[in-house]
Amino acid sequence: MIKIDDTNIVEKINYKKYAKKVEKINQIIETKSGPGNDYLGWLNNPTNTKKTELEEIKKHADYVRKNFDILLVCGIGGSYLGARASIEAINGLHKNKKPEIIFIGQSFSSDYLNEVIEYVKNKKFAINVISKSGTTTETSISFRIFKNLLEKKVGKEEAKKAIFATTDKEKGSLLKLANQEGYVKFVLPSDIGGRFSVFSPVGLFPIACAGIDIEIFIEGARKAQKELTSSNIEQNAAYKYAVLRDFFLKRKYANELFVTYEPRLVSLGEWFKQLFGESEGKEHSGLFPCSATFSTDLHSLGQFIQEGTPVLFETILNVKHPNHEISIPKTDDDLDELNYLAGKNLSFVSEQAFKGTLEAHSTTAKVPNIVLEIEKLDEEHLGYLFYFFMKTCAMSAYLLKVNPFNQPGVEVYKKNMFHLLGKKGY
Ligand code: PA5
């Protein structure tokens, strides 16, 4: 379902040189024998997800859809980015759908939270609080504030029916709280880390609440799980992409710019950055993942890409067919001089922008461009895509000899912050 085009990468790559390494790492992944091996639950997550589990998620999602105007999804990092990326990719940015999904718990900004409080206080809202550890400060503070607001608004008993908690099966303060209050609980399996959790209830419940078909979404992931198993680079697009990423890093292209031509994929870029940034940025190694939306950012970053310091390569996710066509109208006076495009679809214009940019960046500027192509943007392709990136990520990180599934560096800011906040033990 994904085609990978490596014809615009400036230099020729000898995949054969990588064959043995990739074969060995593939075995390490399959036999779960590498660093972080207790976090490989995502590998079989799509096929391990039972119909009954999906039915249970859909049952609660239907309840939310019928009874509430807004669902507040409270989480940070892997506990919200997959859901956000999916909901925006499928529903778009301005869909007038009930319930509206609003994300909280991903910052300490009082202005942002105040804005959300003002927006929801006179509306019917539910909360899905998501935290694997159950102790993440951004999430916990936001949840406390909105739980209080809800309890004041509808009373403690009604509030309990409007709060859904997604957390670990056995530990953490969110689990304790959820048990005590009797909230509906969803479990994030202990062997799946946050950024690999979009196919668990962490992603599936909010995605289902947004009216998206999670069965088709999981089906796409299952396809990827089945197709992306070969250790032969030519037969495994995820591994081919991982090898290309490694190749460019070794050639001092330290940044990977993930590019789409769809505003509804901006949050997919955010998810991409977390997946690769947290998984690979260790031991003074790894690509710095960044993202851009073209043609929007051609009018800002485009100049740098074309003529600035040669520190990056681009990975373009090209969606071949839009879900909707818009034709450019003809006018009698042609004052804006656009009649030469009259009757043409916007997708045609976008395609020429894509082709022209590919040529400008790869041929003229000598910036390597990898093109990942999918036919269209729907639940199935999106499910496939998430799994594809996760599989790429495992291979990429092991090529760098780092553990893809931990994030020790993130603890440093937390320790400092806790010390400054006067938290006990810091
Ligand atoms: O990928 C990860 O593990 C992290 O980004 C976590 O998802 C994030 O820190 C939130 O953690 P938690 O779900 O424990 O609140």
Side-chain angles (χ1 to χ4, degrees), residues 125 127 143-163 177 180-181 183:
F125 69 90
I127 307 172
F143 180 55
R144 181 184 276 214
I145 290 168
F146 281 88
K147 176 179 181 279
N148 274 354
L149 181 71
L150 189 60
E151 287 177 349
K152 277 199 190 115
K153 191 169 136 69
V154 300
K156 215 168 161 39
E157 286 313 305
E158 279 303 304
K160 285 179 187 174
K161 294 185 214 154
I163 297 176
L177 180 72
Q180 193 178 305
E181 301 281 12
Y183 300 149

Side-chain angles (χ1 to χ4, degrees), residues 75-88:
I76 194 167
S79 286
Y80 95 108
L81 282 167
R84 185 172 199 155
S86 306
I87 293 167
E88 290 182 9

Side-chain angles (χ1 to χ4, degrees), residues 220-404:
R222 285 184 186 137
K223 262 194 191 159
Q225 188 189 320
K226 278 184 204 133
E227 282 177 22
L228 304 173
T229 49
S230 171
S231 61
N232 182 331
I233 300 167
E234 289 301 339
Q235 286 165 22
N236 188 329
Y239 288 172
K240 191 172 197 175
Y241 175 38
V243 163
L244 283 163
R245 298 177 78 251
D246 191 72
F247 177 77
F248 292 128
L249 179 62
K250 303 261 153 68
R251 269 150 194 78
K252 308 282 178 238
Y253 295 103
N255 307 274
E256 177 179 24
L257 183 65
F258 176 69
V259 175
T260 76
Y261 280 72
E262 296 291 338
R264 56 167 58 189
L265 290 180
V266 167
S267 287
L268 183 69
E270 297 304 310
W271 177 86
F272 174 98
K273 288 190 274 192
Q274 191 214 350
L275 179 71
F276 287 105
E278 260 189 356
S279 302
E280 293 184 322
K282 286 157 204 170
E283 300 174 29
H284 305 288
S285 183
L287 288 160
F288 179 74
C290 36
S291 62
T293 310
F294 289 174
S295 66
T296 316
D297 293 327
L298 289 173
H299 296 257
S300 59
L301 296 171
Q303 174 60 36
F304 181 91
I305 300 166
Q306 195 70 40
E307 296 181 347
T309 321
V311 288
L312 60 87
F313 71 93
E314 291 170 89
T315 296
I316 299 111
L317 176 64
N318 187 34
V319 182
K320 215 162 164 221
H321 305 290
N323 293 328
H324 306 280
E325 288 288 5
I326 293 186
S327 163
I328 299 167
K330 191 173 185 223
T331 60
D332 290 339
D333 48 20
D334 195 25
L335 283 179
D336 53 10
E337 297 172 18
L338 281 175
N339 270 356
Y340 80 104
L341 291 173
K344 293 263 188 322
N345 285 331
L346 262 181
S347 63
F348 169 78
V349 180
S350 185
E351 196 186 335
Q352 309 323 307
F354 160 70
K355 286 181 181 164
T357 307
L358 189 61
E359 172 87 15
H361 289 183
S362 64
T363 308
T364 313
K366 305 269 178 277
V367 173
N369 272 231
I370 303 168
V371 181
L372 307 174
E373 185 183 276
I374 56 171
E375 282 296 308
K376 58 181 180 164
L377 194 51
D378 58 11
E379 283 91 337
E380 194 182 13
H381 282 85
L382 190 68
Y384 195 101
L385 207 55
F386 276 122
Y387 193 92
F388 164 83
F389 283 125
M390 291 181 201
K391 199 76 193 268
T392 299
C393 185
M395 175 55 70
S396 287
Y398 282 146
L399 279 168
L400 294 173
K401 298 194 172 69
V402 299
N403 176 353

Side-chain angles (χ1 to χ4, degrees), residues 100-126:
E100 187 181 349
I101 313 288
I102 296 179
F103 295 92
I104 55 168
Q106 74 281 40
S107 85
F108 293 121
S109 164
S110 50
D111 283 348
Y112 177 68
L113 283 193
N114 183 58
E115 199 185 307
V116 182
I117 290 170
E118 287 302 315
Y119 188 72
V120 303
K121 69 179 182 198
N122 296 320
K123 299 188 175 84
K124 275 193 98 179
F125 69 90

Side-chain angles (χ1 to χ4, degrees), residues 213-221 378-381 383-384:
D213 193 328
I214 54 172
E215 304 240 9
I216 304 180
F217 180 62
I218 282 279
E219 203 38 56
D378 58 11
E379 283 91 337
E380 194 182 13
H381 282 85
Y384 195 101

Side-chain angles (χ1 to χ4, degrees), residues 76-79 130-134 136 139 193-195 274 278 407:
I76 194 167
S79 286
I130 308 171
S131 177
K132 178 168 171 139
S133 62
T136 301
T139 308
R195 56 192 176 274
Q274 191 214 350
E278 260 189 356
Q407 53 282 329

